[in-house]
C-alpha cells in the first residue's frame, strides 16, 4: 500500500495517495513500521500542499492590495461585514447623476445599487444591454427596505439596492462586456435609459475582479486551515 501511494504521487494523484496512507493505520494497526512510514509520508505531502497554497495565497493577497488602492472600505454601525466601494462611485461624488454602484463585502458577496435622478418611475429592476447582448436584474419590491424614492421641487430621486443575488449577474455581465457601449434601462412605471460611462464600466469591472479575489483568498484560508498537519 505504501508502494501504491508512492506510485500515485508519481502520477500526481495526491488524493488517491492520501486515501491509501490514511487506510494503513486503520487496516493494519500492528504494522508499526508501515504505519509510521505512512504518517511521515502523509505529513510531507500536506506540508508540500500547504506551501503551494501559501504561495497562491500570497499572490492573491498582493493582487488584492494592488486593487484595493482604488477602493474605499466602510462598515455601518450595525453591520457585521464591511464593504468596498470604488472611489469613482462613492455616493457623495455622484449625488446629481443616474448611475450604477456595485459594492463587494468582506466575504466576496456582490451588492448593486441603482440610482435614478430626475425622474420618478418607481423603478424596481434594471436592464443592461448593447444590441442583442443583455442582462436583467430581478425585481425589488417598491415597498421594501431596499427601495427608496423621493421628490423635491418636481425633481425625482430613486435608489434601489439589489442584494442576496437579486442583481442576477448584472455586475459580471458589465465586467465581461466593458468594451461595449452599454446602456442601462431603469424599469418601473415607464423606463429611463442612460449610457454607462467608460469610467463606470471600468470601476464595475474592478469591483467584480476584487470580489473574485476575495472569494479566492477566503477559500485558500479555509483550505490551509483544514490541512491539520500534525
Amino acid at each position: 500500500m505504501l508502494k501504491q501511494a508512492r506510485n500515485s504521487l508519481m502520477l500526481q494523484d495526491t488524493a488517491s495517495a492520501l486515501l491509501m496512507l490514511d487506510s494503513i493505520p486503520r487496516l493494519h494497526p500492528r504494522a508499526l513500521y508501515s504505519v509510521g512510514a505512512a504518517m511521515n509520508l502523509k505529513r510531507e505531502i500536506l506540508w508540500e500542499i500547504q506551501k503551494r497554497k501559501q504561495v497562491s495565497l500570497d499572490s492573491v493577497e498582493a493582487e488584492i492590495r494592488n486593487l484595493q488602492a482604488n477602493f474605499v472600505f466602510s462598515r455601518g454601525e450595525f453591520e457585521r461585514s464591511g464593504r468596498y466601494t470604488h472611489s469613482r462611485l462613492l455616493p457623495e461624488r455622484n449625488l446629481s447623476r443616474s448611475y450604477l454602484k456595485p459594492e463587494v463585502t468582506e466575504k466576496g458577496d456582490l451588492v448593486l445599487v441603482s440610482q435614478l435622478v430626475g425622474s420618478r418611475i418607481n423603478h424596481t429592476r434594471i436592464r443592461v444591454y448593447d444590441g442583442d447582448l443583455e442582462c436583467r436584474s430581478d425585481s425589488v419590491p417598491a415597498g421594501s427596505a431596499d427601495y427608496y424614492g423621493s421628490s423635491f421641487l418636481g425633481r425625482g430621486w430613486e435608489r434601489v439596492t439589489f442584494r442576496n443575488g437579486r442583481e442576477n449577474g448584472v455586475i459580471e455581465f458589465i465586467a465581461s462586456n466593458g468594451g461595449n457601449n452599454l446602456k442601462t434601462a431603469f424599469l418601473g412605471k415607464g423606463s429611463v435609459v442612460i449610457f454607462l460611462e467608460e469610467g463606470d464600466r471600468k470601476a464595475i469591472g474592478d469591483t467584480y475582479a476584487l470580489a473574485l479575489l476575495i472569494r479566492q483568498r477566503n477559500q485558500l484560508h479555509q483550505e490551509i486551515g483544514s490541512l491539520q498537519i500534525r
Side-chain angles (χ1 to χ4, degrees), residues 79-142:
E79 292 180 335
R80 292 183 178 181
S81 180
R83 297 182 182 181
Y84 295 93
T85 305
H86 197 282
S87 57
R88 175 185 170 88
L89 303 175
L90 292 173
E92 57 268 27
R93 297 183 181 179
N94 298 278
L95 295 175
S96 61
R97 76 178 181 112
S98 300
Y99 76 116
L100 300 180
K101 180 191 69 170
E103 299 175 325
V104 57
T105 71
E106 292 174 282
K107 294 181 180 180
D109 297 327
L110 287 164
V111 176
L112 181 65
V113 179
S114 62
Q115 176 172 296
L116 177 61
V117 175
S119 300
R120 283 304 306 275
I121 62 169
N122 296 323
H123 83 279
T124 58
R125 56 195 175 98
I126 59 171
R127 172 188 177 224
V128 180
Y129 64 99
D130 179 33
D132 293 334
L133 290 171
E134 74 163 43
C135 186
R136 295 173 181 257
S137 73
D138 291 336
S139 295
V140 172

Side-chain angles (χ1 to χ4, degrees), residues 22-42:
D22 282 336
S23 69
I24 290 174
R26 185 178 70 252
L27 298 176
H28 307 283
R30 296 183 180 180
L32 299 182
Y33 175 83
S34 295
V35 168
M39 293 302 96
N40 287 335
L41 182 55
K42 177 183 176 180

Side-chain angles (χ1 to χ4, degrees), residues 152-202:
F152 181 71
L153 297 178
R155 183 174 175 83
W157 188 87
E158 299 176 0
R159 182 184 65 212
V160 178
T161 302
F162 301 89
R163 69 178 85 244
N164 299 324
R166 279 201 170 110
E167 58 93 21
N168 199 33
V170 167
I171 297 172
E172 180 182 2
F173 175 80
I174 297 171
S176 300
N177 298 280
N180 294 59
N181 196 18
L182 297 174
K183 296 178 281 293
T184 297
F186 299 81
L187 305 174
K189 297 177 180 178
S191 64
V192 175
V193 177
I194 65 169
F195 282 94
L196 275 180
E197 298 179 13
E198 181 180 357
D200 286 2
R201 300 196 303 268
K202 174 66 167 58

